Amino acid sequence: MKNLFILAFSILGIGYLYNNLSDSKKRFLKELLRQVPYMIPRYFT
Amino acid sequence: MSDYDVIVIGAGCGGLSAGSQLARKGFKTLVIEQSDMVGGCCSTFEAQGYRFDLGASLIEDVEVINWCFERLGTTIYDEVELVECDPIYSVILKDGTRLTYPLSSEHTAREIGQIAPGDVMGWLKYGAYMQGFMDAALDGFFLAPGNTLVDMIKMFAKTPALLKYGPLFISSYQDIIEKYFKDPRIRESIGYQSFFGGLPPELCPGYIAMIPWSEHAGIYYSKGGMIGIPDALKRLGEKSGMQLKLNTEVKRLIVSNGRAAGVELQDGTEVTSDLVISDINAKTLYLDLIGEEHLPWLARIGIKSYEYSMATPMLYLGIDYEPPLAGHHTITTLPMDELNDFWWKDYKQGRFPVEQYSIISWSSGSSSGMAPDGHHVIVITLAPGAYRLEGKTWDQIKPELTQNIIDHLSKRCIPGLKDHVKYADFASPPDFEKRLKSPEGAIYALRQDLPSSLVFRPATRSKSIKKLYLVGASTHPGGGVPTTIASGMIAVDLIDKYE
């Protein structure tokens, strides 16, 4: 129960922080996150 | 017994850097180049008596380039006639404000102070921070291999100061500029350099924000054209026995038992070697010249996932008057938010508006002999251009676009230009693809943000094919003249260590 509470609180916190970012910073983050899944295969090139 | 010790595919700055150094070390070296001249993006061509720089229009971080010349037993100052550019550039903002930044950082502070007194302190703080980063990067970054996590740990262990600059790797260029400068005109005047990293200010990694400061350490033009630098590397390499074949295209890299063993040329000739160095786009190398079947599955996914860097159309003009320009470089620019909007609403949608950012290089103002007497050359690097346009082809819009750009520049910053053009040539992204064999005309080979940099960029020492090394913009430390020359030095160091 305590862990669930911490998880929910963290998600809300991240959501709050994200919402307060400028559009520019949001796009920077989105572009980084979009490419994160490729970072492991790219390491092997 | 192989025909050569080393075959280098591509005579760009990275290929010539590696080839010339290995020849000097006694390796029997062959450099194969598909075009009729060396240098790749850093070259100069002639048309109707005018000499035009194909892409690169100046160099900075000359110290890094000089390290390579020192390895060749000389210095860049002995081999290439360099002209120092002062002022660094003149910037024309959207509202018509003109700022001219001199080489001296103190004088630049004065120039900033005239427009935005409150940003002088920001300039000094930014300068102090970036100088620290530059010193750390010169010491630990440029020549450090970025192959593995161990290399990264060694890089930071050798130069712990780099850790202090971690925020530059997870922030955007725009974040850094906005942190130090408050006046929108000052921000606008140094916002466009994010495109030197191949991305708009909001997407470009923060460490590229070092450029508006590092330029004050000196920017140089090679007298007679930018080809002077690769030509010098070629000359020094040939003095040590390096062989160069121009107009020769490689069709396939020969892979035998997982090892690079030479190349097959377009005419079917096979040339064997103990090592192969590639100075071409890594996607072309792995997917076309080698073939997916030779790659481990994870590497295959990785290679396919890379995005090409932006392409920049160029306009080459021969003119019969002296253009009223303040220095080697004049930049017409826009506020950073509009540069970002351009990226999403125009570039990504395949549109190419006339009113946008451009770099005007007046090379004949820095070096005589670039044009006939009484004439001059200017080369205009335009904003990023999509490879595929929306509903049209580049060839269809070229004539009208050329005229519109000339008219626009005549009004905005080069009065009289439209009445003095004697030669005009527009090079589109497909033209660059054809000329340089650079897919989609990409100027820095692959996109250069954090997920495509350092250990996430194709490795200098291939992880998929033994005896294969990569140099040039596709590998660490990325695109640009000093960085590609550095990539050649990194490859040679790794060959020294492993072969």
Side-chain angles (χ1 to χ4, degrees), chain A residues 22-25 27-29 31-45, chain B residues 148-149 170-171 174-175 202-203 298-299 305-307 344 447 449 451-452 456 458-459 463:
Chain A
S22 64
D23 287 347
S24 192
K25 284 195 174 71
R27 285 193 288 264
F28 177 73
L29 266 180
E31 282 292 297
L32 272 186
L33 292 174
R34 182 177 65 81
Q35 295 186 76
V36 162
Y38 300 120
M39 289 171 85
I40 291 174
R42 282 178 186 174
Y43 181 79
F44 292 93
T45 60
Chain B
T148 61
L149 284 174
I170 50 168
S171 307
Q174 187 162 341
D175 290 339
E202 69 179 13
L203 298 185
L298 217 42
S305 76
Y306 287 112
E307 294 167 29
W344 297 108
R447 190 175 160 134
D449 49 4
S452 309
F456 306 114
K463 290 171 182 168

Side-chain angles (χ1 to χ4, degrees), chain B residues 358-411:
Chain B
S358 60
I359 302 174
I360 302 155
S361 307
W362 178 27
S363 42
S364 56
S366 299
S367 166
S368 55
M370 299 298 285
D373 284 347
H375 289 238
H376 282 268
V377 294
I378 53 176
V379 176
I380 299 145
T381 308
L382 297 161
Y387 180 67
R388 287 175 198 84
L389 291 176
E390 184 190 41
K392 297 167 208 158
T393 67
W394 281 100
D395 283 344
Q396 283 169 336
I397 67 162
K398 262 188 203 176
E400 196 187 342
L401 189 57
T402 301
Q403 197 51 54
N404 289 345
I405 290 167
I406 291 169
D407 289 347
H408 175 67
L409 293 177
S410 296
K411 275 188 217 148

Side-chain angles (χ1 to χ4, degrees), chain A residues 28 32, chain B residues 129-130 132-134 136-137 141 152 155-156 159-173 175-176 179-180 204-209 449-450 453-454:
Chain A
F28 177 73
L32 272 186
Chain B
Y129 183 75
M130 287 303 172
F133 177 56
M134 259 176 70
F141 179 75
M152 290 291 96
M155 186 192 290
F156 288 112
T159 316
L162 277 172
L163 287 170
K164 185 179 150 194
Y165 300 98
L168 289 176
F169 291 82
I170 50 168
S171 307
S172 72
Y173 183 98
D175 290 339
I176 303 298
K179 180 180 170 190
Y180 289 101
C204 186
Y207 61 83
I208 300 289
D449 49 4
L450 185 63
S453 298
L454 299 164

Side-chain angles (χ1 to χ4, degrees), chain B residues 285-320:
Chain B
L285 169 75
Y286 281 115
L287 299 178
D288 299 341
L289 264 57
I290 292 174
E292 291 182 37
E293 65 277 14
H294 292 290
L295 305 179
W297 67 276
L298 217 42
R300 211 178 300 157
I301 296 170
I303 284 292
K304 285 182 178 175
S305 76
Y306 287 112
E307 294 167 29
Y308 294 125
S309 84
M310 66 177 203
T312 53
M314 312 265 300
L315 181 57
Y316 309 100
L317 299 178
I319 52 180
D320 67 354

